[in-house]
Amino acid sequence: MKRSHTCGELTPADKGKQITLNGWVHRIRDHGGIHFINLRDRYGITQVVVDETAPQTLKDLAASLKFEYCIAVRGTVRPRPESMVNPDMPTGSIEIEAKEIEVLSACETLPFMVDERSEAREELRLKYRFLDLRSFAMQQNIRLRHEVSFAAREYLVSKGFYEIETPTLIRSTPEGARDFLVPSRIKAGSFYALPQSPQLFKQILMVSGFDRYFQLAHCYRDEDARGDRQPEHTQIDMEMSFVSKEDVFEVVEGMLSHVFKKTLNIEIPTPFQRIPFDTAMDLYGSDKPDLRFGLAFRDISQLAEKSDFNVFKSVVGDGGVIKALKVSKGAAFSRKQIDELEKAAKTYGAKGLAWMKVTDSGLDGGIARFFENITDTLISTMEAEPGDLLLFVADKWKTACTSLGAVRSKLGEDLELGRSNEYRFCWVIDFPLFEEDEETGGWAAAHHMFTMPQQQYLDTMEKDPGAVKGDLYDLVCNGMEIASGSIRIHDPEIQKRIFNIVGFDEEEARRRFGFLLDAFQYGPPPHGGIAPGLDRLVMIMAGEKTIRDVIPFPKNTIGASPMDDSPSLVDEDQLKELHLQVIEESDESEGQDSQQQE
RNA sequence: GGGGGCGUAGCGAAGAUGGUUAUCGCGCCGGCCUGUCAAGCCGGAGAUCGCGGGUUCAAUCCCCGUCGCUCCCGCCA
């Protein structure tokens, strides 16, 4: 019995039609003489009725149905009597009077119920992913993901982009994250790597004249997972020739506007706000600030020097800063709540979180007594009112900013300052090109080594690498980095200077990126690009808290997939073909390893 | 590598200063029921309280260890 309709489309206008539906038994209500079956497919749910007039064989069959049986139903569409219409159901004003039911396949007792949203623990949901994906919430998420992908493609193609594939077995370029390696059978002892991104290939496509490229690219990074990242993810990867960063912004803003309009019917205002990295850190303590709420920091370093608080004074004396945050009405916070906030600050390296409360008569509690001589100045600097809570972190600039930023994020979460259906985008720009490598004490590329330094630093780049800003940019939405990109270097001379600063000699550069450098000898165009993360974008749009809820078959936090039980051991023969031998870890060898590392 | 949380029936949870038979909802099995839509009512089965060790007359509860999952720091150009 092949379906004539889906479970989401029948209306009173179909009254009297003989139809056939296929789907899964979502709910059964057996009243003895009358059976109701909610039949579900991905389009919706339709109520099927087997009533007292049905032949006994049909009644018996209806009574034997269980959750998630896959069945076919032939019957007649009939409007429900007025009093029995279900207004909560799109198909709630009709039902199917069953004439025949066929069980297409039975279903075992379920490990968990297929509901709107499964409440089973994630481990179990992942093991029975095929069932979890039947839930309404997951069906919605996967549908949204499809629609976002489609709308992105639609927009980019309309703007003249070609979708071009790049290989997933590539050379390992041991930069950045740890590579996943794939052993070569033919070339003993050699390995491919899975791409962390199509970076080098898309740049080469620009050299080849493809002008505007995009790809929904799978990227692989062998690093520890989090709620918003896992070993493999999908990027809407793109690259353009003859562009400035403004051109890249325009494409991405246009694409996201199109995507939001087409999928959620939401207008997102463009252009997006731009915030320099330094400002983002200074005001919000993060390079991915959540702008759905304020809570901007103030710097009271100079003011603190006039206080009696030696802790602050010595930090400022050592070149540190005092960052302050005003929480309106925060004076009502309990000591425990403040302790929780301090814990958040400490995870990012702060030594503590100082606080005081603003009262009708001045300042009170915490470190208030050290500020008695400058109470009014502090209150006016903070624009504070009685009932507010003031929070302070004193440390090196970066630590002070990031740890108070953690406090800000926690406040945003705890006080539910960010509405889930609001989308606040911003471009974070003017990132430092280099950062200090704590292991070697030298300089390392903050993004990657092919990022163009901003014009004004070209003359002084070697003298003060730490001051150099790059032409690189992140797109941030609601406190999450959802895209990262840059204008690339196409001038071999500048490229050489960058390699030099990060301590790459010519030979090493050739060994790692020779093919790209070769390509750049043959008339490379100026180019730049960006790569929005599809998973994070869909996660935000779906209002989910983890990337795993918008990935059909995700890995768990240790990179395993409970459904197919990967990663798994392989046969000796497979290893032999690949010239591999597994070394059992023992306490001894671990000891040796750690000695070697030190 | 480090820190926090969790682990009790198929699922989700509760629980006891350590003490006879470990509780509730869903699901499962059986019965009743003609209009429900999270149907309802009656009855039943189902748990070595993650695993190992210790303390104790007695441990699911306390202690130590271990495993698994999860959140976070590190890591993630």
Side-chain angles (χ1 to χ4, degrees), chain A residues 291-518:
Chain A
L291 297 181
R292 288 176 299 175
F293 54 91
L295 288 179
F297 306 162
R298 286 177 172 80
D299 193 307
I300 61 148
S301 306
Q302 292 189 344
L303 189 58
E305 287 191 291
K306 294 183 198 126
S307 76
D308 299 322
F309 196 37
N310 287 328
V311 176
F312 280 9
K313 286 159 95 168
S314 72
V315 165
V316 176
D318 292 344
V321 299
I322 318 297
K323 288 286 174 186
L325 181 57
K326 178 189 75 179
V327 187
S328 293
K329 311 261 178 353
F333 279 28
S334 67
R335 191 56 203 262
K336 193 180 164 193
Q337 281 173 294
I338 295 175
D339 285 348
E340 287 294 315
L341 294 173
E342 177 168 46
K343 235 162 94 184
K346 282 181 170 173
T347 58
Y348 283 82
K351 286 164 199 75
L353 181 70
W355 59 274
M356 57 180 85
K357 291 176 177 180
V358 184
T359 65
D360 291 323
S361 54
L363 298 169
D364 189 37
I367 59 167
R369 62 200 165 91
F370 300 110
F371 288 78
E372 275 165 6
N373 57 328
I374 50 169
T375 294
D376 293 342
T377 326
L378 181 60
I379 289 176
S380 66
T381 302
M382 296 303 296
E383 293 176 49
E385 291 173 13
D388 290 351
L389 173 70
L390 304 181
L391 300 168
F392 308 86
V393 173
D395 217 301
K396 287 178 301 193
W397 178 76
K398 197 179 172 191
T399 306
C401 290
T402 52
S403 51
L404 197 57
V407 172
R408 179 180 179 271
S409 295
K410 185 167 169 53
L411 285 166
E413 227 169 88
D414 292 354
L415 305 177
E416 294 177 348
L417 298 175
R419 280 182 303 244
S420 63
N421 60 350
E422 186 185 354
Y423 304 93
R424 283 293 298 270
F425 288 91
C426 67
W427 292 106
V428 178
I429 57 175
D430 300 339
F431 279 86
L433 191 61
F434 302 104
E435 58 191 22
E436 283 188 83
D437 186 327
E438 285 179 19
E439 280 173 36
T440 65
W443 294 99
H447 184 59
H448 61 58
M449 283 182 277
F450 313 108
T451 300
M452 185 75 109
Q454 292 184 6
Q455 197 68 34
Q456 64 269 34
Y457 299 98
L458 282 180
D459 294 339
T460 57
M461 167 161 102
E462 280 81 2
K463 276 182 219 141
D464 188 5
V468 181
K469 307 292 189 205
D471 253 339
L472 63 104
Y473 34 84
D474 280 0
L475 180 63
V476 172
C477 180
N478 296 1
M480 191 159 314
E481 177 198 316
I482 61 168
S484 188
S486 66
I487 299 300
R488 330 293 185 191
I489 297 168
H490 65 281
D491 176 345
E493 281 309 309
I494 297 177
Q495 188 67 66
K496 268 185 203 163
R497 290 170 61 194
I498 300 288
F499 284 150
N500 197 33
I501 290 170
V502 301
F504 261 43
D505 57 34
E506 185 90 26
E507 197 181 324
E508 187 169 12
R510 284 221 65 80
R511 189 168 58 79
R512 295 191 183 189
F513 311 111
F515 64 109
L516 185 70
L517 301 180
D518 283 346

Side-chain angles (χ1 to χ4, degrees), chain A residues 259-288:
Chain A
V259 165
F260 272 75
K261 182 67 188 166
K262 277 292 272 250
T263 60
L264 300 181
N265 196 26
I266 287 176
E267 309 274 355
I268 52 172
T270 57
F272 302 151
Q273 183 179 351
R274 289 105 197 263
I275 304 178
F277 169 80
D278 288 344
T279 308
M281 294 299 287
D282 263 327
L283 293 183
Y284 308 110
S286 171
D287 60 358
K288 40 180 198 284

Side-chain angles (χ1 to χ4, degrees), chain A residues 92-245:
Chain A
S93 52
I94 57 105
E95 62 191 9
I96 308 302
E97 184 186 1
K99 295 283 191 294
E100 186 186 357
I101 293 176
E102 183 188 345
V103 174
L104 301 174
S105 66
C107 178
E108 295 281 310
T109 298
L110 296 165
F112 51 82
M113 290 295 287
V114 175
D115 278 322
E116 288 271 302
R117 173 176 290 273
S118 176
E119 286 178 354
R121 62 178 191 276
E122 191 168 17
E123 190 182 359
L124 204 69
R125 290 175 51 207
L126 291 181
K127 175 162 182 178
Y128 295 95
R129 193 61 163 176
F130 40 86
L131 290 177
D132 188 44
L133 288 172
R134 286 182 187 174
S135 71
F136 180 75
M138 293 304 290
Q139 292 264 320
Q140 291 293 305
N141 289 351
I142 300 304
R143 181 186 59 80
L144 179 63
R145 187 183 175 103
H146 155 74
E147 287 175 349
V148 169
S149 301
F150 181 73
R153 278 198 167 95
E154 193 174 47
Y155 182 83
L156 292 171
V157 169
S158 80
K159 294 294 175 188
F161 285 76
Y162 284 176
E163 181 168 10
I164 305 174
E165 290 160 277
T166 54
T168 50
L169 293 175
I170 65 170
R171 181 196 168 82
S172 174
T173 53
E175 293 309 303
R178 196 177 294 114
D179 277 332
F180 279 104
L181 294 177
V182 179
S184 164
R185 171 179 56 84
I186 295 166
K187 205 170 161 188
S190 290
F191 294 82
Y192 302 99
L194 303 180
Q196 295 180 26
S197 80
Q199 185 62 36
L200 303 183
F201 287 89
K202 69 176 176 178
Q203 291 192 244
I204 285 182
L205 286 170
M206 294 303 106
V207 177
S208 301
F210 283 105
D211 216 39
R212 297 188 142 204
Y213 139 96
F214 84 98
Q215 176 183 199
L216 297 192
H218 287 110
C219 305
Y220 306 87
R221 293 171 192 180
D222 189 5
E223 299 290 350
D224 289 348
R226 281 283 194 288
D228 64 352
R229 63 182 212 239
Q230 63 138 29
E232 51 182 320
H233 74 285
T234 306
Q235 290 183 344
I236 308 172
D237 191 49
M238 54 182 104
E239 194 77 7
M240 292 161 252
S241 293
F242 314 116
V243 292
S244 69
K245 67 172 183 286

